[in-house]
Amino acid sequence: MSHLLSPAVWGLLAGLTGLAGYVPYLRDAWRRTSDPDPAAWLIWTLEYSVLLAVQAAQHPPWAALCLATLQLAGTAAVLAVLAARGGWRFGTARWILLGGGVAIMTLWPFAHAPGMAMCLVLAVEGAAMVLVMIGAYRRPGGETPLTWQAFILAGLLDLPALGSRAPRLLYAYPAFFVVMGSGVLIAAALGARAP
């Protein structure tokens, strides 16, 4: 089926699917029926800013940038909701993680190899995702499953958006997106079964 749609259409579908995933998440965060980790969302907002620059530096088809662009908009919206509702309390571990994330992000301009830059960005994303997975395991109802399912689908849709001529490095982000979204759902399922 991927040959029936152009990479631009796949990219747009991926971006819109990812963006749609934020709607239930924002609703639940505002109503306080979910418990998003503010440190993770702050890290992601910073990280998506850098990721977008890393991807743009690879000169991919514009459609391949849709997912990262709309993810940045979504993470910024979640961060704004969390800021509006207040109650941010970062423990020492989160401050260390935030500091480490910012330090890694400042290294990106000096990583002249795109592969190294992408690895740095994905390491930061993965560190924030670990916070969310731990939270999902401890409080299975604290995450919105529909959002993470939409993110997995968005990552899968983003793969054909890259086209056949894109550098292999660009496939790392959508693949990582699928793995991390799955990790949150698995952590929540395991937490729900834990005694």
Side-chain angles (χ1 to χ4, degrees):
M1 182 170 153
S2 64
H3 64 281
L4 298 177
L5 299 176
S6 70
V9 173
W10 284 111
L12 191 58
L13 285 172
L16 292 175
T17 301
L19 191 61
Y22 282 100
V23 173
Y25 203 85
L26 288 165
R27 178 203 61 213
D28 291 352
W30 184 255
R31 292 178 179 173
R32 297 180 187 264
T33 57
S34 69
D35 191 22
D37 189 304
W41 289 95
L42 177 57
I43 289 169
W44 285 330
T45 300
L46 296 171
E47 180 248 340
Y48 280 123
S49 301
V50 174
L51 179 65
L52 191 56
V54 169
Q55 285 190 317
Q58 295 296 298
H59 308 292
W62 70 267
L65 296 175
C66 282
L67 182 58
T69 301
L70 294 175
Q71 284 301 117
L72 174 57
T75 57
V78 171
L79 193 61
V81 166
L82 294 176
R85 73 177 209 180
W88 287 20
R89 292 188 187 138
F90 293 167
T92 305
R94 279 175 171 70
W95 281 115
I96 291 170
L97 187 60
L98 279 167
V102 169
I104 289 172
M105 290 297 137
T106 59
L107 291 176
W108 171 72
F110 303 106
H112 298 293
M116 177 60 75
M118 184 66 87
C119 288
L120 291 172
V121 168
L122 292 179
V124 171
E125 179 161 352
M129 190 58 74
V130 168
L131 290 176
V132 175
M133 284 192 248
I134 291 170
Y137 180 80
R138 290 180 179 164
R139 298 174 309 280
E143 288 295 328
T144 305
L146 184 58
T147 296
W148 298 103
Q149 292 163 358
F151 291 172
I152 292 166
L153 180 57
L156 292 172
L157 291 171
D158 199 41
L159 291 169
L162 295 168
S164 58
R165 294 189 178 123
R168 293 191 189 277
L169 176 63
L170 291 176
Y171 289 92
Y173 170 64
F176 196 79
F177 207 64
V178 171
V179 170
M180 293 294 102
S182 300
V184 173
L185 294 175
I186 290 168
L190 292 174
R193 293 179 186 170

